[in-house]
Amino acid sequence: MEIVVGDQMTTADAKGFAQEYSTNVASLTPAQYVLEINCKGMKVLSQEMAQLLEKAIMMYKQTGFKKVVFLMPNETILKMQISRLCRKVGLDMEIVI
């Protein structure tokens, strides 16, 4: 399964994403799939965006995918932000540049 993340997200976008994600994942056996999150268009996170992304990362963890891979731009600060959020929620993931 692949998710593509743009540069910004609003609270309304996050709620819509959560509903769409839950619907799409319901038809899968997540433990058999790798989740790729394409963040190549993403910018450094604002405080609000970090909070929204933390909730999404918690959903990814709870879903139980075989593996979670973040496809990242070569942006050190963004990599650090994503890594910190994943550690905070306990998601074991891989970053690919």
Side-chain angles (χ1 to χ4, degrees):
M1 181 173 179
E2 182 180 17
I3 296 173
V4 178
V5 181
D7 63 344
Q8 293 294 320
M9 179 183 286
T10 65
T11 303
D13 293 338
K15 288 179 183 177
F17 168 75
Q19 291 171 345
E20 184 178 345
Y21 174 84
S22 296
T23 300
N24 289 328
V25 169
S27 64
L28 301 175
T29 305
Q32 297 176 351
Y33 292 89
V34 172
L35 175 61
E36 286 188 357
I37 304 158
N38 185 337
C39 301
K40 292 188 183 252
M42 193 177 227
K43 307 278 189 236
V44 173
L45 303 173
S46 66
Q47 183 67 21
E48 179 186 11
M49 185 73 165
Q51 291 171 347
L52 294 173
L53 187 56
E54 182 179 341
K55 291 176 184 175
I57 291 171
M58 180 63 77
M59 283 191 321
Y60 306 152
K61 180 181 189 283
Q62 292 171 342
T63 303
F65 281 96
K66 177 169 56 173
K67 185 176 184 181
V68 177
V69 177
F70 284 85
L71 306 174
M72 305 282 296
N74 193 10
E75 172 63 56
T76 304
I77 294 172
L78 181 60
K79 266 191 328 191
M80 289 172 32
Q81 288 178 312
I82 298 289
S83 295
R84 181 180 48 81
L85 291 172
C86 289
R87 277 193 311 275
K88 186 175 179 181
V89 302
L91 177 66
D92 186 31
M93 55 80 183
E94 177 183 344
I95 291 180
V96 175
I97 296 176

